[in-house]
Amino acid sequence: MSTPSELIAEPESKDPKAHSPARKVRNYLIGGLLIWIPIMITVWVVRFLSGILDSSLLLLPPSWRPEVVFGTYVPGVGVVLSLVLLFVTGVVVKNLFGGQMVAGIESLVRRIPVVGSVYGGAKTFSETVLTDKGKSFKQVVMLEFPRKGVFSIGFITSQDLHEAQARTAQEVTCVFVPTTPNPTTGFLVMAPKDELIHMDMSVDEAFKMLLTLGVVVPTWKNRPVEGRLAPQQAEP
């Protein structure tokens, strides 16, 4: 990992402007930015997530909320409450009676127009992504998108596209191509399976690359010793 001083260091030059006070001030400012930008982004992400978790305080009666009990807002209480709520919910669901109760409530919710469709989609998505049962978002691929000759990073989300495969007479794969630096939005692409290039990078490394606009590129551990380009890899 390079230090800020190493990143802003310039090679020795005979140009007198390279050692001018203005150039030194510029280097000091860049060095400060290299320290503070990661800190501010980390603080922003933590505060954003804390704000979401703090919304669990709305589940408490008004008289039980920290503002009333302590007379002021106490940061972190919502995070602790969210973790406790998630743990208790998980314990209840794992219980036979609790699982049957949740299944009954879900059955009722799915019958409600509009709400049932949204809930069903969210339920399927969360089960696929957060559990080991599904294969979605487990493989990073590269494909030519949005046009030929331009490649984008994507994640395989589904391969069971029977209707699409029958109508296109091709074996297509569903790929999510995220936008950057906000990978929560993107494009859903059904691409021919033989046009996908399977990458060695992990999902975490791919997301890190997306969040940094391609500045942080993971090291290719399986890079061939000889030859500049690697042959097309078979699907793992």
Side-chain angles (χ1 to χ4, degrees):
M1 182 67 68
S2 301
T3 62
S5 59
E6 293 173 341
L7 291 174
I8 63 176
E10 297 182 354
E12 295 184 2
S13 173
K14 297 181 180 180
D15 187 356
K17 294 182 179 180
H19 303 284
S20 65
R23 179 62 64 87
K24 291 183 179 180
V25 170
R26 167 188 170 275
N27 289 342
Y28 290 145
L29 290 175
I30 294 177
L33 287 174
L34 291 174
I35 292 294
W36 280 105
I37 287 179
I39 293 176
M40 297 305 296
I41 292 177
T42 303
V43 170
W44 180 82
V45 171
V46 171
R47 291 187 62 181
F48 175 75
L49 295 176
S50 299
I52 294 177
L53 296 176
D54 274 343
S55 62
S56 62
L57 293 174
L58 298 176
L59 300 174
L60 295 175
S63 58
W64 290 12
R65 295 175 186 174
E67 294 84 354
V68 177
V69 176
F70 300 103
T72 184
Y73 169 74
V74 180
V77 175
V79 176
V80 175
L81 178 61
S82 297
L83 295 176
V84 172
L85 180 62
L86 292 174
F87 178 79
V88 173
T89 304
V91 172
V92 172
V93 171
K94 291 298 182 180
N95 180 275
L96 178 61
F97 174 75
Q100 292 176 347
M101 182 177 63
V102 171
I105 296 175
E106 287 185 348
S107 179
L108 292 176
V109 172
R110 290 176 185 271
R111 297 177 183 177
I112 302 176
V114 181
V115 175
S117 301
V118 175
Y119 177 82
K123 177 73 173 180
T124 303
F125 175 80
S126 60
E127 287 179 346
T128 302
V129 175
L130 298 178
T131 65
D132 296 330
K133 298 179 181 179
K135 297 182 179 180
S136 299
F137 289 93
K138 300 294 193 300
Q139 177 63 49
V140 182
V141 295
M142 187 167 61
L143 70 160
E144 290 186 288
F145 178 85
R147 65 171 177 81
K148 288 288 185 180
V150 176
F151 292 88
S152 297
I153 293 293
F155 304 93
I156 293 179
T157 57
S158 178
Q159 295 178 327
D160 300 326
L161 306 172
H162 303 295
E163 181 179 358
Q165 292 173 356
R167 294 185 179 276
T168 60
Q170 297 184 78
E171 190 173 0
V172 295
T173 299
C174 199
V175 180
F176 173 68
V177 180
T179 55
T180 180
N182 179 15
T184 59
T185 63
F187 302 91
L188 184 63
V189 180
M190 287 183 284
K193 183 178 180 180
D194 57 1
E195 293 184 8
L196 299 179
I197 302 174
H198 292 262
M199 309 294 287
D200 290 334
M201 70 175 68
S202 65
V203 174
D204 291 340
E205 290 173 336
F207 271 110
K208 187 182 297 184
M209 183 177 176
L210 290 166
L211 289 170
T212 60
L213 305 177
V215 174
V216 177
V217 180
T219 302
W220 187 13
K221 301 185 176 93
N222 298 327
R223 183 175 181 176
V225 178
E226 297 181 358
R228 183 169 178 268
L229 298 178
Q232 175 70 38
Q233 298 180 11
E235 181 182 358

